[in-house]
Amino acid sequence: MSTSNKMPLQVWILTLAAFAIGTAEFVIAGILTQVAESLNISEGQTGHLITAYALAIVIGGPILTLWLSRYGKRKVLIGLMALFVVSNLITAFATDYNVLLASRVMAGLTQGPFYGIGAVVATRLVSEKMAGQAVGQMFAGLTLANVLGVPGGAWVGDMYGWNTTFLVVAALGALAAIAIMIAIPSQGAEEPRSIRSQIGPFKNWNLIASLLITTLGWVGFMTFYGYIAPVAEQVAGFDRSSLAWILVIVGLGLVIGNMLGGKTADRNLSASLIGWPAAMIVSLVVLGFVASQPYLFVAAAFVFGVVSFANVPPMQMRVMKYGGDAPELAATANISAFNIANALGGIIGGIVVDSTWGAGYIPFAAIIVPAIGLAFIIWQERKSRSATVTA
């Protein structure tokens, strides 16, 4: 453990790994139309690659994490990154849709365990007072994946073909794996805990409701973001080469939104939980109406990026608030909740883009589930306030 106030190199290595994994998850958004044309499949089918990856995180992540907890953490991280590299190499060389789908599932299986175990490793590399900063530094890789990785992947795909994008992602993963092998010291396995003790907090309805809030409120993000390429090309009329800089602008919005959401959640969690989903719904309605106007579309997409990612800190904070004695497991469950929403968004967007409505209706379809979520959030927050007053 470091006693210095400076973030050690090992945490930056974990940030690199998180960047590679985050890029692999979201990069399909930037190359969706290219993959569809290359494999001669519909854009909706290509969107199922998002759904498959997200479901692998939801279903496989918690199971793998429980199983891998018995092994040394450094070895587990190296093994996960090795699987990640192999998965993305298979993706890069895939010429068959089913092989591509299977490789996305393989890659998705690595994400939950790596983030969960990597976060514990990060805290052990620094002093206790810097533990939160170390975890934040590691997860900054996921934010950077949206700002740099996804646009960069779209640019590489446009210049050299989408297969090359996944070769680059695999190379980043290999670099991270080698760096972990060299620089990160061995760490022991966790003390085994009974499954009953770990799932105890999930008897609390407020925790279950918090996870539902995350799922329902987040669906709108991936419904639109996952299919931003066909909307930008087919409705707004941009050339494919323009997609990289559009994604950079949206990515900057995500970063700003994440910071804003954290500040407002600290000030008033309840207001943040209601206000940001409402703002996201409004931004999607505006996007639907201005999508055919190129530069208004970009401006509205930037605002969408801000208000959608501003949801993340309040949703996480509500889950942690009701996580009881197992905040780490609750936080892991919240990652699953986000990815259930990603999977649903991929399905909804895929149905719409392949229908007679087409890409232009994706922003409107994206508001349906979050609107239900907003009603649920308002109901839950009123119940919580009433319970507090009664108490």
Side-chain angles (χ1 to χ4, degrees):
M1 180 190 293
S2 170
T3 55
S4 166
N5 287 329
K6 190 176 177 183
M7 198 63 69
L9 173 65
Q10 291 95 328
V11 177
W12 286 96
I13 290 168
L14 294 173
T15 304
L16 171 63
F19 173 78
I21 294 171
T23 300
E25 178 178 13
F26 293 112
V27 77
I28 289 290
I31 57 176
L32 189 138
T33 51
Q34 296 176 43
V35 176
E37 289 171 9
S38 171
L39 297 181
N40 198 26
I41 56 176
S42 71
E43 287 163 348
Q45 283 179 292
T46 311
H48 292 163
L49 299 173
I50 297 168
T51 302
Y53 192 104
L55 288 177
I57 297 171
V58 173
I59 299 165
I63 296 168
L64 266 179
T65 302
L66 284 171
W67 178 60
L68 292 170
S69 63
R70 70 188 75 181
Y71 301 106
K73 289 181 170 46
R74 176 174 167 273
K75 288 180 180 176
V76 168
L77 293 182
I78 294 167
L80 288 169
M81 288 313 295
L83 177 60
F84 175 81
V85 171
V86 170
S87 304
N88 282 285
L89 286 174
I90 294 171
T91 303
F93 291 106
T95 55
D96 176 79
Y97 176 68
N98 291 323
V99 172
L100 190 58
L101 201 62
S103 70
R104 291 290 291 170
V105 171
M106 285 172 61
L109 287 173
T110 65
Q111 181 161 322
F114 191 93
Y115 284 173
I117 295 165
V120 175
V121 171
T123 62
R124 292 180 178 178
L125 292 166
V126 297
S127 61
E128 192 174 328
K129 67 179 180 181
M130 288 187 68
Q133 292 177 57
V135 174
Q137 172 66 54
M138 177 185 155
F139 278 90
L142 186 57
T143 308
L144 280 172
N146 284 290
V147 180
L148 299 175
V150 176
W155 179 81
V156 169
D158 185 52
M159 294 294 290
Y160 306 106
W162 66 267
N163 309 80
T164 308
T165 299
F166 285 103
L167 286 175
V168 172
V169 170
L172 287 171
L175 181 63
I178 292 166
I180 291 168
M181 204 180 300
I182 294 169
I184 292 183
S186 295
Q187 295 187 6
E190 294 297 308
E191 287 294 320
R193 292 175 60 197
S194 71
I195 292 174
R196 180 180 290 182
S197 69
Q198 293 185 65
I199 64 173
F202 290 86
K203 294 176 184 175
N204 181 354
W205 164 249
N206 279 313
L207 176 56
I208 301 300
S210 300
L211 295 170
L212 278 170
I213 285 169
T214 295
T215 299
L216 295 171
W218 190 248
V219 169
F221 173 76
M222 190 52 78
T223 305
F224 175 73
Y225 186 75
Y227 293 88
I228 193 170
V231 180
E233 291 177 32
Q234 298 167 23
V235 185
F238 284 101
D239 294 328
R240 188 167 295 171
S241 59
S242 300
L243 195 59
W245 66 260
I246 293 170
L247 286 165
V248 169
I249 290 170
V250 176
L252 289 171
L254 305 184
V255 175
I256 294 167
N258 197 43
M259 291 189 293
L260 279 176
K263 288 179 179 178
T264 60
D266 283 337
R267 287 184 195 143
N268 190 325
L269 181 58
S270 182
S272 295
L273 284 163
I274 294 168
W276 291 120
M280 185 181 74
I281 290 167
V282 171
S283 75
L284 284 164
V285 172
V286 172
L287 265 167
F289 283 116
V290 304
S292 60
Q293 306 296 316
Y295 294 102
L296 285 177
F297 167 77
V298 173
F302 169 76
V303 173
F304 162 80
V306 173
V307 297
S308 61
F309 247 61
N311 281 290
V312 175
M315 287 173 174
Q316 288 178 328
M317 283 179 69
R318 195 184 202 276
V319 167
M320 299 294 281
K321 178 181 176 182
Y322 294 110
D325 296 329
E328 298 90 354
L329 186 61
T332 302
N334 205 35
I335 292 173
S336 291
F338 275 115
N339 280 285
I340 291 170
N342 286 344
L344 285 172
I347 292 167
I348 293 167
I351 291 169
V352 175
V353 79
D354 281 353
S355 72
T356 52
W357 293 327
Y361 280 83
I362 285 175
F364 298 117
I367 71 171
I368 298 168
V369 178
I372 297 168
L374 181 59
F376 181 71
I377 293 165
I378 292 168
W379 177 53
Q380 282 302 307
E381 287 303 300
R382 281 181 178 171
K383 272 182 66 178
S384 296
R385 277 199 295 271
S386 298
T388 304
V389 170
T390 305

